[in-house]
């Protein structure tokens, strides 16, 4: 609720009041002089009751003027509290009191209520104008746009979509999407909660690229939006050509540079999936960092995607035509660290390659070196790293000749380097060399709104990798994922999705496919009462039963075809028919 709707924003805090010991004559004079009909009775700041001008006049006429207010005050009056809405004020005056102490804080009279109503009229006029603009934009948009509710009933349908499907806007509104839109998958998106972006779609004989986006509110799907992005493929090719031209205009061409594909997997910022505020801020800072040559320190928990950020910074930087050399400082044994980073000369030690070997810093010349898990760098090596950063020269092990190197430095850690400096475990001078542009990458639990996008991407990748066809997630699985703490972050998410993809027989992954221990923990943590657990299980069972029934109706009871459409074996289907007592098929 907007702050402007609360009574404390509108109440009169300087309300007149009288005490219970006030003579009626004085009370009547006060009421008349201020042209008010009711006045509160207050003792030591606390509300005792109210008296009206009519009651005072009537009592004076019958009993005389010497009586006190306490003898006639009315203890029944309209009240409101801090935090109450102005929409709940139906009677004036209404006295705003402290719910614990009965202290009078203010009052809402007809004057304040009228001012609020004028404000609301102004707000509604603005909203009406804004809705008019939204309607104009919605209808004049080149892309076909439609929105359905949680039952798949069309609520919004623009003119462009109307042209694509050949159905009038007025006829489409209020109808089921699958009755209006050929081959629509909006009902699937409603069931899964997973967006389907940039998907090929055949509609009225035309090839289209579409987005299907679920609409979430309070961890429930309340609808879905369908967007027709491109008609045919010619527009897509045209956009790709324009994007290539933009890259050519900004890229520094260097035909002589040789890239090592084995060491460089190209990652662009658009490949870092997610639109949450936290991730968007991190990407925004990383883009700015890429435009400079300053050292970047990526921080964040294990599994958040620090190496992806490093690769994206490299690809967007002036060093993009050079190599991207990644070094995991935690994975190299201490005894091999120096030779790995600096290389070694011919015959430097027993077992060395006869021609020597360049180190990682040399390999990163005119490119980027990414020192991952820099917090695990042995303390004795930190001074040597600092010297390379200062002098931009390296000496191979067993060689006195220094080789000049020029590289972009990106480091990453999941540790608190500041605390390590205080504890004497990390060199302070090296820390400040690294801490030029720090970028904190948020953990997955702080950007849960990115889950559907990440899941959709991983499901598509798994379908390509395993060549088993795409699978969908039930929204109950997504609800569990939104409650999970994700200690392993994106890496953990991707592993869980792959596990579910591989182990699920059908093409629809439900809550029941999660490990029993996971389901039990979820219920105990978020639904501690057994009846709620039973409700959820009953709901999941009901959905599966309905899905099986509808599929069998579509195929006129052919169980082989039904099993194929449901993505399960015939044996599994027969077991479920027996369990759900669907004997009429």
């Amino acid at each position: 609720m907007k702050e402007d709707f609360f009574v404390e924003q509108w109440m009169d805090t300087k309300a007149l009041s009288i005490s219970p010991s006030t003579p009626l004559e004085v009370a009547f004079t006060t009421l008349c002089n201020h042209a008010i009909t009711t006045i509160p009775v207050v003792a030591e700041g606390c509300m005792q009751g109210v008296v009206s001008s009519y009651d005072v006049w009537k009592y004076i006429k019958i009993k005389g003027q010497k009586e006190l207010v306490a003898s006639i005050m009315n203890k029944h009056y309209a009240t409101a509290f801090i935090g109450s809405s102005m929409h709940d004020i139906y009677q004036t005056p209404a006295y705003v009191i402290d719910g614990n102490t009965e202290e009078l804080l203010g009052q809402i009279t007809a004057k304040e209520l009228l001012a609020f109503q004028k404000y609301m009229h102004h707000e509604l006029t603005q909203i009406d104008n804004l809705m008019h603009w939204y309607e104009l934009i919605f209808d004049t948009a080149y892309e076909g746009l439609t929105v359905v509710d949680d039952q798949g009933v069309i609520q919004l349908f623009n003119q462009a979509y109307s042209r694509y499907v050949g159905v009038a806007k007025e006829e489409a509104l209020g109808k089921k999407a699958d009755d209006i839109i050929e081959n629509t998958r909006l009902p699937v998106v409603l069931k899964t909660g997973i967006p389907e972006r940039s998907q090929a779609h055949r509609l009225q004989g035309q090839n289209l690229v579409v987005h299907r986006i679920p609409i979430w509110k309070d961890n429930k799907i309340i609808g879905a939006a369908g967007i027709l992005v491109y008609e045919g493929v010619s527009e897509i090719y045209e956009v790709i050509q324009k994007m290539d031209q933009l890259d050519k205009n900004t890229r520094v061409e260097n035909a002589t540079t040789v890239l090592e594909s084995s060491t460089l997997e190209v990652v662009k910022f658009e490949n870092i999936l997610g639109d949450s505020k936290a991730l968007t801020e991190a990407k925004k800072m990383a883009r700015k960092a890429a435009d400079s040559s300053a050292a970047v320190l990526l921080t964040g928990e294990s599994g958040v995607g620090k190496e992806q950020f490093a690769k994206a910074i490299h690809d967007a930087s002036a060093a993009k035509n050079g190599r991207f050399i990644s070094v995991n400082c935690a994975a190299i044994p201490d005894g091999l660290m120096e030779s790995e980073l600096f290389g070694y000369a011919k015959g430097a030690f027993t077992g060395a390659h006869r021609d020597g070997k360049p180190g990682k810093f040399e390999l990163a010349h005119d490119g980027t070196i990414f020192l991952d898990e820099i917090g695990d760098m042995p303390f004795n090596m930190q001074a040597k790293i600092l010297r390379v950063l200062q002098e931009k020269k390296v000496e191979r092990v067993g060689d006195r000749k220094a080789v000049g190197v020029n590289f972009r430095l990106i480091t990453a850690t999941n540790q608190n380097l500041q605390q390590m400096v205080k504890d004497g475990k990390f060199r302070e001078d090296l820390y400040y060399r690294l801490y030029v542009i720090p970028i904190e990458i948020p953990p997955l639990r702080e950007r849960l709104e990115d889950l559907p996008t990440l899941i959709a991407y991983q499901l598509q990748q798994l379908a390509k990798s395993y060549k088993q066809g795409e699978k969908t997630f039930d929204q109950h699985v997504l609800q569990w994922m939104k409650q999970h703490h994700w200690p392993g972050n994106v890496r953990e998410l991707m592993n869980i999705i792959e596990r579910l993809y591989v182990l699920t027989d059908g093409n629809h992954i439900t809550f029941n496919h999660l490990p029993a221990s996971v389901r039990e923990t979820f219920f105990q943590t978020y639904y501690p009462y057994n009846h709620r657990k039973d409700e959820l299980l009953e709901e999941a069972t009901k959905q599966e039963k309905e899905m099986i029934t509808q599929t069998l109706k579509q195929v006129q009871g052919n169980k082989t075809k039904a099993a194929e459409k449901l993505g399960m074996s015939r044996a599994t289907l027969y077991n479920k028919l027996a369990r759900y007592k669907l004997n009429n098929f």
Side-chain angles (χ1 to χ4, degrees), residues 397-420:
V397 175
D399 195 349
R400 295 182 180 180
K401 179 184 176 182
V403 178
V405 287
N406 177 46
F407 52 81
R408 173 69 188 270
L409 176 67
I410 304 176
T411 55
T413 183
N414 59 9
Q415 301 185 56
N416 187 335
L417 292 187
Q418 285 182 311
Q419 188 59 48
M420 292 182 69

Side-chain angles (χ1 to χ4, degrees), residues 301 442-449 482 484-489:
E301 298 175 7
L444 183 56
R445 63 182 170 276
E446 292 181 7
R447 55 184 191 101
L448 293 174
E449 59 266 46
K482 287 189 174 183
H484 187 52
H485 186 67
W486 297 110
N489 292 292

Side-chain angles (χ1 to χ4, degrees), residues 552 555 557-564 570 573-574 577 585:
L552 282 166
V555 297
N558 188 314
K559 296 181 177 60
T560 301
K561 290 183 179 179
E564 185 178 337
R570 287 185 63 195
L573 177 60
Y574 278 108
L577 290 173
F585 289 102

Side-chain angles (χ1 to χ4, degrees), residues 30 187 198 233 240 267 364 415 425 502 552 562 575:
T30 303
S198 303
V233 295
I240 292 172
V267 176
Q415 301 185 56
K425 297 179 180 178
V502 171
L552 282 166
N575 288 334

Side-chain angles (χ1 to χ4, degrees), residues 326-536:
S326 179
V327 181
N328 188 330
C329 300
I332 303 175
D334 291 359
L336 298 178
M337 180 71 74
E338 187 171 4
S339 60
E340 280 293 314
L341 291 177
F342 306 137
Y344 54 83
K346 177 182 178 180
F349 50 83
T350 303
H353 192 280
R354 64 178 183 177
D355 295 324
K357 182 183 177 182
K360 301 298 186 184
F361 282 107
E362 282 188 68
L363 292 174
H365 180 62
D366 287 338
T368 299
I369 188 166
F370 173 52
L371 300 180
D372 197 8
E373 306 297 352
I374 189 68
D376 292 308
M377 176 72 68
F379 195 83
N380 66 314
M381 280 296 300
Q382 293 175 24
K384 296 179 180 181
I385 296 292
L386 178 63
R387 183 178 177 184
V388 173
L389 299 181
Q390 289 173 334
E391 299 179 1
K392 287 296 178 78
K393 292 180 180 180
V394 292
E395 289 183 10
R396 294 187 182 185
V397 175
D399 195 349
R400 295 182 180 180
K401 179 184 176 182
V403 178
V405 287
N406 177 46
F407 52 81
R408 173 69 188 270
L409 176 67
I410 304 176
T411 55
T413 183
N414 59 9
Q415 301 185 56
N416 187 335
L417 292 187
Q418 285 182 311
Q419 188 59 48
M420 292 182 69
V421 169
K422 291 178 182 178
D423 296 340
K425 297 179 180 178
F426 200 86
R427 290 182 63 102
E428 185 175 19
D429 46 7
L430 177 58
Y431 170 73
Y432 286 115
R433 274 279 176 178
L434 307 179
Y435 195 83
V436 181
I437 302 181
I439 300 174
E440 176 75 22
I441 304 175
L444 183 56
R445 63 182 170 276
E446 292 181 7
R447 55 184 191 101
L448 293 174
E449 59 266 46
D450 291 335
L451 274 173
T453 302
L454 293 166
I455 293 169
Y457 170 80
Q458 179 68 341
L459 288 174
Q460 289 175 2
Q461 296 303 112
L462 291 170
K464 293 176 184 176
S465 176
Y466 286 97
K467 299 179 181 179
Q468 293 182 9
E470 290 192 18
K471 297 187 180 184
T472 57
F473 268 35
D474 191 87
Q475 61 174 290
H476 290 101
V477 179
L478 189 53
Q479 286 172 342
W480 166 74
M481 288 183 166
K482 287 189 174 183
Q483 303 289 353
H484 187 52
H485 186 67
W486 297 110
N489 292 292
V490 178
R491 184 184 295 120
E492 180 190 2
L493 171 67
M494 296 307 183
N495 290 341
I496 285 179
I497 296 171
E498 184 168 8
R499 183 191 315 153
L500 291 172
Y501 182 94
V502 171
L503 298 180
T504 300
D505 290 332
N507 58 11
H508 186 60
I509 300 167
T510 69
F511 188 76
N512 291 328
H513 289 118
L514 291 171
S517 59
V518 170
R519 298 199 304 270
E520 193 63 35
T521 301
F522 175 69
F523 284 128
Q524 290 174 356
T525 304
Y526 299 102
Y527 301 101
Y529 302 107
N530 287 331
H531 74 275
R532 179 58 180 146
K533 173 181 176 180
D534 294 339
E535 285 177 14
L536 285 173

Side-chain angles (χ1 to χ4, degrees), residues 21-92:
S21 59
T22 301
L24 293 183
E25 181 182 13
V26 175
F28 189 71
T29 301
T30 303
L31 286 161
C32 291
N33 288 344
H34 291 87
I36 54 178
T37 58
T38 307
I39 191 168
V41 181
V42 176
E44 297 181 355
C46 297
M47 192 80 178
Q48 305 297 311
V50 296
V51 292
S52 68
S53 56
Y54 175 77
D55 288 338
V56 173
W57 173 80
K58 180 181 175 182
Y59 207 86
I60 289 175
K61 188 175 180 181
I62 298 172
K63 300 283 187 174
Q65 302 176 358
K66 295 183 179 180
E67 293 294 330
L68 303 180
V69 165
S71 62
I72 69 163
M73 68 180 181
N74 188 348
K75 294 190 177 181
H76 298 286
Y77 47 87
T79 60
F81 305 95
I82 295 296
S84 294
S85 168
M86 286 293 290
H87 294 295
D88 296 330
I89 304 297
Y90 299 106
Q91 178 183 341
T92 59

Side-chain angles (χ1 to χ4, degrees), residues 4-6 10 85-87 111-121:
D4 291 346
F5 292 171
F6 294 120
W10 298 92
S85 168
M86 286 293 290
H87 294 295
K111 177 183 176 183
E112 285 76 39
L113 190 57
L114 179 61
F116 175 71
Q117 289 172 345
K118 287 182 177 179
Y119 167 78
M120 285 301 299
H121 177 73

